[in-house]
Amino acid sequence: LMSNAEKLKQLCLRVLDRIEKSVESMPTEIRFLAKHLHSTVNKRFPSMAMKAVASYLFLRFFVPALVAPEVTLGEDASA
């Protein structure tokens, strides 16, 4: 029987894996923005470039979908 921590870890790994596999289907404009953000941050703070991109994507796309799925994903999302 897996502990709750192990279940959470496995779920997070599955989510991250799906995100990584979906990069090619991300709109070109968002990919361009992520690349620009990465290169800009990398010039001044090389160790923080990936964290900046991840934070941007998380705060702009994932948080709104988690907080208000009916607005982000449509009315059926809350059902």
Side-chain angles (χ1 to χ4, degrees):
L1 195 55
M2 284 197 301
S3 71
N4 286 340
E6 186 61 31
K7 288 178 185 177
L8 179 60
K9 179 181 175 183
Q10 292 303 316
L11 177 64
C12 289
L13 288 173
R14 285 187 7 224
V15 168
L16 290 173
D17 185 54
R18 291 183 86 177
I19 291 169
E20 184 179 1
K21 289 179 180 176
S22 68
V23 168
E24 292 298 319
S25 62
M26 184 183 292
T28 306
E29 296 83 2
I30 296 173
R31 290 171 59 189
F32 175 80
L33 181 63
K35 184 176 180 178
H36 179 71
L37 178 60
H38 183 276
S39 65
T40 302
V41 172
N42 194 47
K43 290 175 187 171
R44 184 133 187 217
F45 307 102
S47 65
M48 299 302 287
M50 287 302 287
K51 188 176 271 191
V53 173
S55 297
Y56 174 79
L57 293 174
F58 183 78
L59 290 172
R60 293 291 174 222
F61 298 102
F62 291 102
V63 170
L66 293 171
V67 173
E70 64 280 356
V71 174
T72 310
L73 305 172
E75 283 185 40
D76 295 346
S78 60

